[in-house]
Amino acid sequence: MSPLNLAINIGSTNRQDIVTGMTAAEREALVRPYADLSETQKKLISRLENDLDLNQRQIRAALEILGEANILPENYGTKLVDIAERFKSLQEIASTLPGDSHKTTALKAKAQEAIKAGELAEADALLAQVETEQRRFLDLLAANAAETSAERGEIALTRLRYTDAAKHFANAAGTFPPDSTHEDRRIGYLEREASALYQQGDEFGVNGALLSAIERYKRLVEMMTSERVPLDWARTQMNLGNALATLGERESGTVKLEEAVVAYRAALKDMTRARVPLDWAITQNNLGNALLELGERESGTARLEEAVEAYREALEERTRERVPLQWAMTQNNLGNALQTLGERESGMAKLEEAVAAYRAALQELTRERAPLQWATTQNNLGAALRVLGERESGTARLEEAVVAFREALQEWTRERVPLQWAWTQMNLGHALRVLGERESGTVKLEEAVSAYREALKEMTREAAPHWHDIAQRNLASCLVLLEQRRRS
């Protein structure tokens, strides 16, 4: 169909600007820049004054567009109609939408006026401002939505629903693309996700959650870098070490524990005593924990001596006057290292030091003040007393050990901390077995068997293979003793 035969109805704008009624001189001025048009094309332009509902400025803009685009003269007619139709559609754009701000509405109105005037470059510039304003608004909405997700995460943490919390924090982080203007916030949400996963794995014995936390902390270490944010990077290294150490304690190998030591030592390069003394002390304490666990699995004492040194270093800043509860926890940990060293020595000195460290810790770690930490220290005190009791002829220390373990189980319940509950049940079994060996009846041995069986309910091969194997061996040997006693 020839453009001359098209029924063109562009839609009225300002009636006084319509091409209809254009004088011959005005028409000549309009088409003068296009003097090389064919007669047919000139007739088309002449007829458009009656068919197109465009104003003079729009017609001139259309002709200028044709000239700037270097359109061949024989194609002017078709392209002019195309542009006219596009001008019609332009009349409908830049309309106000629900939710537009006052600034956006004003910019859109100016863009519409520019379109009417045929000033498309100006209209585009104005819409660019609209786009910037809208993106700023969208960015604000995205930031608010991310914070709402994070707030849901905080509620989930309060409810001890750590997996749900991790998902909420991940959603918050996913709101922003990498390297956006919100990169610091995104990283913060990712840190909280990793922390929630760690808590799920640590408190509920979910090794898969710990693996996820480790993976996320490793990613965060790469994202932060020591050069850009040294202290944040160091703290993330420490958190990575915590996740690795917790998982390493449950595995029979030492790979994760060795990685934890590396992470802690890396953290201490930037987290110095002069710079952040308390954070440095925390990391020294945690390094001591990893070294202690490694030392317990080795025949030598080098790692244990390193652990004692790390704890004593931590206590230089973690004083009782400054941070009493943290001081007490490090005293507890020092007791653990001294106890393990004492078990490998023939004398009693290190064991007595361990008992003293535990009793010191309990001066601040009261049941009312810190019930779970109190239970931890009661359990450890019981373990040191049990070893001392094994080396003495009487039963007083062993009886004290049993009391300490039963105290610990009042707070270390199966529902609350299943693996710690199981660990204490196993320790209780040890003390009862030794008492049973020194008594003529079978009561204490039967209680020991019961304690070992309780421990195995949570110390499964999947959850804690290293401790599962130990508990199985202890149960087996106790059953043999019980059977022998029943036969005698």
Side-chain angles (χ1 to χ4, degrees), residues 324-452:
L325 288 180
Q326 290 90 331
W327 167 84
M329 283 306 302
T330 303
Q331 285 284 1
N332 170 80
N333 297 338
L334 174 61
N336 292 343
L338 290 166
Q339 178 189 333
T340 307
L341 277 170
E343 290 173 354
R344 298 183 184 180
E345 297 177 356
S346 57
M348 312 275 270
K350 287 290 191 298
L351 290 171
E352 294 289 1
E353 285 185 62
V355 169
Y358 293 136
R359 294 199 190 281
L362 287 169
Q363 293 175 28
E364 293 291 342
L365 292 176
T366 63
R367 184 177 181 183
E368 296 73 25
R369 192 176 189 183
L372 288 180
Q373 290 86 347
W374 170 83
T376 299
T377 310
Q378 286 286 2
N379 175 80
N380 296 342
L381 172 62
L385 289 167
R386 176 186 59 81
V387 177
L388 281 169
E390 289 174 348
R391 297 183 182 181
E392 295 175 350
S393 58
T395 60
R397 298 276 199 167
L398 292 171
E399 295 288 356
E400 286 184 75
V402 169
V403 170
F405 292 136
R406 294 198 191 281
E407 285 282 287
L409 288 170
Q410 293 183 51
E411 293 293 341
W412 269 13
T413 63
R414 184 179 181 184
E415 296 73 25
R416 196 174 192 181
V417 281
L419 284 179
Q420 289 91 325
W421 170 84
W423 185 20
T424 307
Q425 287 284 3
M426 186 168 68
N427 287 340
L428 175 60
H430 293 339
L432 290 166
R433 184 186 66 184
V434 178
L435 278 171
E437 290 171 351
R438 297 183 182 181
E439 295 178 355
S440 58
T442 61
V443 174
K444 289 293 190 296
L445 289 175
E446 289 171 352
E447 288 182 45
V449 167
S450 176
Y452 288 136

Side-chain angles (χ1 to χ4, degrees), residues 256-396:
K256 292 292 189 301
L257 291 169
E258 296 284 1
E259 287 185 56
V261 169
V262 171
Y264 290 135
R265 294 199 190 282
L268 288 168
K269 292 178 182 178
D270 283 308
M271 198 179 285
T272 63
R273 182 178 181 181
R275 198 174 196 177
V276 280
L278 287 180
D279 288 344
W280 170 84
I282 291 171
T283 309
Q284 287 284 3
N285 176 82
N286 295 349
L287 171 62
N289 292 342
L291 289 167
L292 171 58
E293 189 68 31
L294 282 169
E296 290 174 343
R297 300 183 187 187
E298 297 174 354
S299 58
T301 61
R303 298 280 198 173
L304 296 173
E305 296 289 355
E306 286 183 74
V308 169
E309 181 183 356
Y311 292 135
R312 295 199 191 281
E313 284 282 291
L315 288 168
E316 290 294 319
E317 293 293 340
R318 271 186 153 183
T319 63
R320 184 176 183 182
E321 296 73 25
R322 192 177 191 180
V323 281
L325 288 180
Q326 290 90 331
W327 167 84
M329 283 306 302
T330 303
Q331 285 284 1
N332 170 80
N333 297 338
L334 174 61
N336 292 343
L338 290 166
Q339 178 189 333
T340 307
L341 277 170
E343 290 173 354
R344 298 183 184 180
E345 297 177 356
S346 57
M348 312 275 270
K350 287 290 191 298
L351 290 171
E352 294 289 1
E353 285 185 62
V355 169
Y358 293 136
R359 294 199 190 281
L362 287 169
Q363 293 175 28
E364 293 291 342
L365 292 176
T366 63
R367 184 177 181 183
E368 296 73 25
R369 192 176 189 183
L372 288 180
Q373 290 86 347
W374 170 83
T376 299
T377 310
Q378 286 286 2
N379 175 80
N380 296 342
L381 172 62
L385 289 167
R386 176 186 59 81
V387 177
L388 281 169
E390 289 174 348
R391 297 183 182 181
E392 295 175 350
S393 58
T395 60

Side-chain angles (χ1 to χ4, degrees), residues 143 146-147 150 169-170 172-173 176 185-193:
E147 189 57 26
F169 291 132
F176 309 115
R185 289 184 67 176
R186 186 176 80 93
I187 289 175
Y189 293 138
L190 290 173
E191 287 181 292
R192 289 154 83 179
E193 178 201 9

Side-chain angles (χ1 to χ4, degrees), residues 112-318:
Q112 288 175 334
E113 290 299 320
I115 291 169
K116 290 178 183 178
E119 299 292 341
L120 297 188
E122 182 182 352
D124 181 62
L126 287 163
L127 288 178
Q129 294 181 54
V130 171
E131 184 179 29
T132 299
E133 180 68 11
Q134 289 173 329
R135 288 189 184 279
R136 186 193 67 78
F137 184 66
L138 285 175
D139 189 56
L140 179 61
L141 286 178
N144 290 344
E147 189 57 26
T148 300
S149 293
E151 288 167 353
R152 293 188 67 194
E154 293 297 334
I155 290 174
L157 286 179
T158 305
R159 301 173 71 189
L160 305 184
R161 296 183 178 182
Y162 300 124
T163 301
D164 290 342
K167 290 176 182 176
H168 290 313
F169 291 132
N171 288 339
T175 304
F176 309 115
D179 301 319
S180 71
T181 56
H182 297 286
E183 182 65 0
D184 288 344
R185 289 184 67 176
R186 186 176 80 93
I187 289 175
Y189 293 138
L190 290 173
E191 287 181 292
R192 289 154 83 179
E193 178 201 9
S195 177
L197 288 168
Y198 170 72
Q199 287 181 275
Q200 175 70 13
D202 179 42
E203 296 179 23
F204 292 100
V206 183
N207 291 347
L210 286 175
L211 285 169
S212 296
I214 289 167
E215 183 269 330
R216 282 155 178 77
Y217 280 130
K218 286 182 176 179
R219 244 192 301 155
L220 284 163
V221 164
E222 294 176 358
M223 291 166 62
M224 291 179 177
T225 75
S226 175
E227 296 73 24
R228 189 171 69 87
V229 281
L231 285 181
D232 289 341
W233 177 85
R235 290 189 181 100
T236 304
Q237 284 281 12
M238 183 181 70
N239 291 334
L240 170 61
N242 293 343
L244 286 164
T246 301
L247 186 58
E249 289 173 2
R250 299 174 189 174
E251 296 180 347
S252 56
T254 61
V255 174
K256 292 292 189 301
L257 291 169
E258 296 284 1
E259 287 185 56
V261 169
V262 171
Y264 290 135
R265 294 199 190 282
L268 288 168
K269 292 178 182 178
D270 283 308
M271 198 179 285
T272 63
R273 182 178 181 181
R275 198 174 196 177
V276 280
L278 287 180
D279 288 344
W280 170 84
I282 291 171
T283 309
Q284 287 284 3
N285 176 82
N286 295 349
L287 171 62
N289 292 342
L291 289 167
L292 171 58
E293 189 68 31
L294 282 169
E296 290 174 343
R297 300 183 187 187
E298 297 174 354
S299 58
T301 61
R303 298 280 198 173
L304 296 173
E305 296 289 355
E306 286 183 74
V308 169
E309 181 183 356
Y311 292 135
R312 295 199 191 281
E313 284 282 291
L315 288 168
E316 290 294 319
E317 293 293 340
R318 271 186 153 183

